[in-house]
Amino acid sequence: MLRDHDSSAGAFSADDFPARLTAATDWLDAAIGAQQEGDWTMDDTERRVLADLVAATNPLHGGALPPHTGDSLYVRIGRITNWAGALRLAARAGGWELSPVTGRDPAALTRPAGMADLLSGIYALAEQGERWQELLLSTARTLQRGQSLEQEIRARHPRLERELAAAEAFFTGPGSVEDLPLFFY
């Protein structure tokens, strides 16, 4: 049921982030809009999966608003990476198929957006966390004695801090995916 549409976490491209963030936002908005306009009524399974998804990805940030710059890169990236695995499990549990949505306009759907679209949209950005994690781990493996991981990461991906902060804002804080159950009636 789950189509592994982009499992190339090692194929890091710094140019992917803006398209992924746009896709995640657009598809999330489309799903929320379809539900709020009455085009999609969540069933009990969808509600339970959504509640479990939010519980499983509790960011444990203590109520701090993003960006979570006081935490290590490992923790910050790990929070986003956790969403990717939890979304794959949620899709499997509900029998939904994750589809690639980056570069696709949800307005082009010939049917109302639903749970598979919601999960796929969020996954577009969560999967970026896996790419960042691979960058982090590969950088750590190649560090020489005395080198700073954060400095080397900044050299390899100068926009990471800004992108990570934007991803954190998408996943945590007021009006974010963390509050997703509040958007659905």
Side-chain angles (χ1 to χ4, degrees):
M1 287 262 164
L2 179 70
R3 187 168 28 147
D4 188 14
H5 66 276
D6 196 359
S7 61
S8 56
F12 175 76
S13 171
D15 297 331
D16 290 348
F17 181 79
R20 287 177 178 275
L21 180 59
T22 297
T25 302
D26 290 350
W27 286 84
L28 176 68
D29 290 347
I32 290 170
Q35 198 281 325
Q36 290 181 347
E37 292 169 14
D39 295 329
W40 168 35
T41 303
M42 291 184 86
D43 62 27
D44 287 340
T45 299
E46 291 169 329
R47 288 187 187 286
R48 284 193 310 270
V49 166
L50 185 59
D52 288 344
L53 180 60
V54 171
T57 55
N58 182 340
L60 302 173
H61 54 59
L65 295 176
H68 303 290
T69 54
D71 295 331
S72 73
L73 280 178
Y74 283 109
V75 170
R76 295 176 71 195
I77 291 171
R79 284 183 184 125
I80 294 166
T81 301
N82 287 345
W83 273 95
L87 287 159
R88 287 189 295 266
L89 288 171
R92 284 186 191 107
W96 301 291
E97 184 175 307
L98 294 177
S99 299
V101 296
T102 303
R104 292 181 43 219
D105 184 355
L109 287 174
T110 57
R111 56 168 174 71
M115 191 65 159
D117 303 306
L118 173 68
L119 298 177
S120 294
I122 298 169
Y123 188 70
L125 191 55
E127 189 177 42
Q128 182 70 50
E130 292 181 321
R131 290 175 175 211
W132 287 332
Q133 186 174 50
E134 180 56 36
L135 172 67
L136 188 67
L137 295 174
S138 66
T139 302
R141 285 191 294 267
T142 62
L143 279 181
Q144 302 296 318
R145 183 179 285 272
Q147 283 183 303
S148 161
L149 178 62
E150 282 78 14
Q151 288 175 340
E152 186 60 26
I153 290 288
R154 278 189 210 100
R156 291 184 184 195
H157 186 42
R159 295 185 311 256
L160 179 64
E161 264 308 313
R162 184 176 51 239
E163 292 175 359
L164 185 53
E168 287 172 328
F170 177 84
F171 286 106
T172 64
S176 68
V177 177
E178 184 178 32
D179 288 340
L180 204 52
L182 302 176
F183 295 113
F184 293 94
Y185 305 118

